């Protein structure tokens, strides 16, 4: 894994699900000022070509450094931001910052940005993206938007219009957390995805070739290849998992086995010498196939 990648650097404020209503309100209040107070930070996790170990892009992952509570996970505060109508300013900041950072990186790494279904449903999204790209001077094909299946729960003609508008900008589209949401394959036929991200839940149990999860991953890879899409396996932690993922011909890998998310300054250090390759490292291999 990338050196100094800060294992344990982000010790998240308990992402406990039994958050009291009061606690949630307090967080919501703090969230209103978080951007203005400079408490938000983008970290970048390498997406690696599984065959060459070369980093082909990174995913921008948002961090909230809360002054009293410490780092708070986006899994906890993004839902609050969505409900409190704060996702729009937050999402716009993420897009602009990611494009600015990416335009300054030494190579031509792609940057992937998570876009929530609520942002996706807002007709202003293409305008914001155009503005973020041109202000930063970033070519559109270096920006990838990660969206989840939940966007297909909204009005289907609006959704189709948004896909058309985004494709017209020349940005890339990735389907995130594939297989965990609204389970219809119909949308793959019409939505113009460049990549499918295989959710970490499939990878978890997939250490033995021939397991059910391995069969599911193989099926997703076959589907993606037939539709001319790349695949990324998310959350690969061990060398065992990496070994299997390679055997299953998943094209790209993202996970602690290569690197945790890193700060922008660290990314710049790694890319200064040209191509960035990472030697995978993780829990010791157990031969079981
Ligand atoms: P996601 O887009 O599916 O991102 C992948 C998550 O898996 C990240 O969690 C990442 O840190 C984590 N991860 C990566 N490799 C490994 C691994 O090997 N093992 C394990 N256990 N986890 C790994 P993170 O950063 O906490 O983000 C959680 C979710 O929050 C993201 O899931 C995404 O849905 C959302 N999110 C993050 N940043 C943003 C943002 O800027 N905007 C929006 N709308 N959502 C965001
Ligand atoms: Mg994502
Ligand atoms: Mg995901
Ligand atoms: Mg996720």
């Amino acid at each position: 894994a990338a050196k100094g990648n800060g294992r344990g650097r982000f010790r998240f404020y308990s992402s406990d699900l039994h958050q009291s209503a009061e606690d949630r309100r307090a967080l919501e209040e703090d969230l209103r000022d978080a951007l203005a107070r400079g408490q938000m930070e983008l970290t970048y996790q390498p997406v690696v070509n599984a065959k060459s170990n070369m980093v082909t892009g990174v995913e921008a992952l948002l961090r909230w450094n809360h002054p009293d509570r410490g780092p708070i996970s986006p899994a906890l505060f993004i839902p609050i931001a969505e409900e409190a109508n704060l996702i729009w300013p937050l999402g716009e900041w993420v897009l602009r910052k990611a494009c600015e950072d990416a335009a300054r990186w030494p190579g031509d790494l792609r940057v992937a940005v998570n876009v929530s279904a609520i942002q996706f449903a807002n007709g202003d999204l293409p305008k914001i993206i155009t503005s973020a790209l041109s202000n930063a001077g970033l070519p559109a094909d270096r920006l990838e938007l990660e969206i989840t299946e939940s966007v297909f729960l909204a009005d289907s003609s609006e959704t189709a219009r948004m896909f058309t508008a985004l494709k017209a900008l020349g940005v890339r589209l990735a389907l995130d957390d594939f297989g965990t949401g609204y389970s219809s394959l119909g949308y793959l036929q019409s939505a113009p995805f460049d990549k499918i991200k295989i959710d970490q839940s499939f990878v978890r149990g997939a250490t033995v070739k021939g397991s059910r999860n391995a069969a599911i991953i193989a099926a997703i890879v076959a589907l993606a290849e037939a539709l001319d899409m790349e695949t990324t396996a998310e959350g690969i932690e061990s060398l065992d998992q990496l070994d299997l993922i390679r055997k299953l011909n998943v094209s790209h890998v993202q996970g602690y086995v290569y690197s945790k998310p890193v700060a922008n300054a660290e990314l710049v250090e790694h890319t200064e010498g040209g191509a960035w390759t990472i030697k995978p490292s993780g829990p010791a291999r157990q031969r079981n196939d």
Side-chain angles (χ1 to χ4, degrees):
K3 81 169 153 35
N5 60 8
R7 201 168 275 269
R9 211 185 102 202
F10 298 106
R11 203 168 308 113
F12 286 129
Y13 168 66
S14 80
S15 47
D16 64 61
L17 302 166
H18 309 288
Q19 207 186 11
S20 71
E22 203 179 322
D23 202 29
R24 193 185 165 97
R25 262 196 307 278
L27 272 185
E28 184 184 317
E29 277 316 302
D30 293 347
L31 195 53
R32 288 185 195 285
D33 305 318
L35 262 187
R37 294 188 171 156
Q39 295 164 359
M40 290 294 170
E41 182 190 348
L42 279 187
T43 61
Y44 296 101
Q45 186 178 34
V47 177
V48 185
N49 179 307
K51 288 210 172 82
S52 66
N53 289 336
M54 232 172 81
V55 179
T56 58
V58 295
E59 178 177 6
L61 293 162
L62 189 56
R63 298 292 178 251
W64 179 12
N65 299 309
H66 192 282
D68 313 321
R69 308 190 197 221
I72 302 181
S73 169
L76 188 75
F77 70 80
I78 292 286
I80 297 179
E82 288 181 335
E83 275 176 38
N85 258 324
L86 296 168
I87 192 65
W88 194 247
L90 207 53
E92 180 171 347
W93 180 84
V94 169
L95 273 166
R96 291 187 183 280
K97 181 78 167 83
C99 289
E100 280 165 21
D101 285 349
R104 294 196 191 106
W105 294 334
D108 52 4
L109 286 186
R110 266 196 190 113
V111 66
V113 170
N114 291 284
V115 171
S116 86
I118 290 178
Q119 291 172 274
F120 193 85
N122 186 316
D124 284 342
L125 183 63
K127 255 197 316 212
I128 301 293
I129 291 171
T130 305
S131 158
L133 288 169
S134 70
N135 284 348
L138 187 74
D141 64 357
R142 284 184 55 201
L143 177 64
E144 185 166 86
L145 305 179
E146 294 195 2
I147 57 183
T148 64
E149 292 158 296
S150 58
V151 302
F152 297 103
L153 293 172
D155 178 284
S156 61
S157 58
E158 295 282 325
T159 304
R161 260 202 295 281
M162 183 56 80
F163 275 116
T164 307
L166 294 176
K167 269 330 265 188
L169 296 182
V171 298
R172 286 170 47 103
L173 297 173
L175 182 52
D176 204 355
D177 303 344
F178 181 71
T180 60
Y182 173 64
S183 53
S184 157
L185 294 176
Y187 51 73
L188 280 182
Q189 178 201 335
S190 50
F193 291 108
D194 300 286
K195 168 182 274 191
I196 292 177
K197 299 192 78 177
I198 304 169
D199 191 72
Q200 16 184 305
S201 57
F202 296 114
V203 175
R204 282 291 100 87
T207 46
V208 185
K209 203 161 185 251
S211 70
R212 288 173 160 267
N213 279 338
I216 291 171
I217 293 170
I220 297 173
V221 169
L223 184 68
E225 281 175 359
L227 295 172
D228 207 18
M229 297 173 188
E230 290 178 356
T231 43
T232 295
E234 297 190 90
I236 306 294
E237 295 182 346
S238 70
L239 291 167
D240 273 345
Q241 290 170 344
L242 180 61
D243 195 36
L244 178 69
I245 278 305
R246 283 173 169 163
K247 286 191 180 116
L248 293 170
N249 286 319
V250 178
S251 62
H252 294 78
V253 168
Q254 197 181 337
Y256 300 164
V257 76
Y258 281 110
S259 174
K260 288 204 165 185
V262 300
N264 185 53
E266 195 181 328
L267 184 159
V268 169
E269 252 172 63
H270 282 292
T271 49
E272 260 162 1
W276 182 13
T277 56
I278 306 178
K279 193 173 162 340
S281 70
R285 184 183 303 266
Q286 268 179 347
R287 301 294 323 182
N288 47 15
D289 57 329

